Amino acid sequence: MKVYLSQDAAAKALGSEAVAAALKEALGDTPLTRVGSRGMVWLEPLLEIDRGQGREAWGPVAPGDIPAILAGDIPSLGLTEEIPFLAKQTRLTFQRCGIIDPLDLAQYEAHGGLAGLRRALGLSGEQMIDEMKASGLRGRGGAGFPTGIKWDTVRMAHADQKYIVCNADEGDSGTFADRMIMEGDPFCLIEGMAIAGLCTGATQGYVYTRSEYPDAVAVMRRAIELARAAGVLGGDVLGSGRAFDMEVRVGAGAYVCGEETSLLNSLEGKRGVVRAKPPLPALEGFLGRPTVVNNVISLATVPVIFEKGAAHYADFGLGRSRGTIPVQIAGNVKHGGLFETAFGMSLGDLVEEIGGGTASGRPVKAVQIGGPLGAYFGREKFDTPFGYEEFDGQGGLIGHAGVVVFDDSADMLGMARFAMEFCAVESCGKCTPCRIGAVRGVETLDRIKAGDGAAVEVLTDLCEVMKDGSLCALGGFTPYPVLSALEAFPEEFGQVKEAAE
């Protein structure tokens, strides 16, 4: 009998450590394997037992349930892989998450790990770039910029030192994919960064994450030690004679440090403020050297591309959005969690079929996609397929693929005000449209709430200035939630809703 229990931070928050203590007492000499999360947060703490016919699931489990579960008196939810939420997924990036011990390198290899790195070691930098471009992988942190082009820019740059920086500063509300990978499959991120280093000529990498992720920091640091001891990192990567090493750096949690140039300033020990572009970080990044800055999911997807081939990865998706996207479903939703799927599934299917509708049982009113700076989509946009261009065409953005659900009790003017207030609090202060505009936005929305209908025109003008004049996406994207709420729910702003044509 093999027993598995999640040690993901979400599981811990829901009581997994008390369950683990009860299990260890009841199991005696039978080992308990701690794993990452399967991504079904509403079932955490999730217990899995394999008696030879596959892993069966129980959840959410309380410590008092353990004796009855082990005695066979509480039926399981069935085989874990057959739970509909999991069975409908296409798991590529998250293929090992929740399955293996995150810090067991042998298990990682047994489940396909390091195959991509070994293949990459046999390719030239140019061949690796061709593979990345053919895969169609785009930045999963929000911008959606083609990863292969960014890597090629760094590869072609001339410098005595180059760097790979992983942006793990996951600050968007309703997002947890980066944390899940770092806690549940850290070697995958390490392998992806090593491949990026080999491709571009970078020999040093940094994972920049936030102090709010202590478990992820501890797991990543231990995984790096184990990888270095096994020769995956260091001066002789897998006996190739080529060097790549990395370390974890922890920031204080400023939202703006999710923006790549603010992150680089923070990484250098400076104040986390936005840098003007050009120069691009790919040419003058960390310490003024050519630097690849990629999100956790972008880098953690690289190993499967090299393991299975670019064509295999690019075979999934829609239009210019190739591969899979780990959608994080959160907010007022019945089945919250991480759902990795090929681009193309409609927003409505993700919310209603996969997410199960609202946790409150009330009708869905709106969904915010892409974090606190993402647009609100009402039900009339639920047919929109999940894809970069498709969302852009509807006035939205995918961002880090966080989906936050609101029921019909949500105050949309209040949510618009929150977006402006959030921007005002989190602004680094470097540019006027963001620093002053967000404060004026809060004041203007308060005027609208007090019944000043004329202030709506002021609000739309202000949003245009912030969009066009802000130095980075913090001020530039704050108008998305504000204007989308105004467009979808004008009556809550004292406006008359126009009849659909």
Side-chain angles (χ1 to χ4, degrees), residues 128-129 132-133 137-138 145-153:
M128 284 191 259
I129 291 295
M132 290 301 296
K133 289 180 178 178
L137 180 67
R138 294 165 68 176
F145 188 80
T147 307
I149 293 175
K150 182 182 284 189
W151 285 20
D152 202 23
T153 306

Side-chain angles (χ1 to χ4, degrees), residues 217-487:
V217 169
V219 173
M220 279 304 308
R221 283 182 169 156
R222 181 59 183 148
I224 288 169
E225 290 174 1
L226 293 170
R228 195 177 289 130
V232 177
L233 294 174
D236 186 19
V237 173
L238 293 181
S240 65
R242 302 172 70 182
F244 184 79
D245 210 340
M246 57 185 283
E247 61 183 85
V248 176
R249 294 285 179 90
V250 181
Y255 182 78
V256 77
C257 285
E259 192 278 332
E260 63 179 2
T261 63
S262 295
L263 184 157
L264 292 172
N265 273 336
S266 177
L267 193 59
E268 292 178 10
K270 300 172 184 172
R271 184 169 174 236
V273 295
V274 177
R275 299 177 184 175
K277 299 177 189 176
L280 296 170
L283 298 175
E284 292 183 33
F286 182 59
L287 300 177
R289 304 298 202 285
T291 306
V292 169
V293 184
N294 276 143
N295 165 260
V296 170
I297 303 304
S298 306
L299 290 163
T301 302
V302 170
V304 75
I305 290 172
F306 281 84
E307 176 198 355
K308 297 185 177 178
H312 177 271
Y313 188 78
D315 195 40
F316 299 95
L318 169 76
R320 289 181 56 222
S321 304
R322 307 316 306 167
T324 61
I325 182 77
V327 182
Q328 298 125 90
I329 306 170
N332 187 344
V333 68
K334 189 175 181 182
H335 295 154
L338 183 135
F339 188 86
E340 184 178 357
T341 183
F343 284 99
M345 182 177 281
S346 74
L347 178 60
D349 283 349
L350 279 165
V351 173
E352 302 283 11
E353 182 185 338
I354 305 302
T358 64
S360 62
R362 299 174 67 97
V364 175
K365 180 176 184 176
V367 177
Q368 187 177 31
I369 307 100
L373 309 182
Y376 288 100
F377 279 19
R379 298 189 68 90
E380 68 278 2
K381 294 186 177 180
F382 273 22
D383 288 339
T384 308
F386 225 85
Y388 290 106
E389 281 68 38
E390 290 72 19
F391 266 58
D392 183 59
Q394 292 294 330
L397 59 145
I398 286 179
H400 193 40
V403 172
V404 180
V405 181
F406 298 84
D407 72 10
D408 62 355
S409 66
D411 170 10
M412 300 312 295
L413 189 149
M415 296 312 298
R417 186 187 188 280
F418 170 78
M420 284 292 189
E421 185 180 25
F422 179 85
C423 181
V425 170
E426 295 290 347
S427 174
C428 77
K430 186 160 185 177
C431 70
T432 304
C434 175
R435 182 183 71 248
I436 304 298
V439 176
R440 295 292 171 259
V442 172
E443 295 169 355
T444 306
L445 283 157
D446 285 342
R447 286 170 55 191
I448 293 169
K449 186 175 182 180
D452 184 356
V456 171
E457 187 177 348
V458 176
L459 180 68
T460 55
D461 285 350
L462 178 64
C463 284
E464 289 303 315
V465 171
M466 291 179 71
K467 263 187 183 179
D468 296 338
S470 296
L471 198 54
C472 83
L474 178 54
F477 283 2
T478 294
Y480 276 89
V482 178
L483 294 177
S484 61
L486 174 61
E487 178 192 348

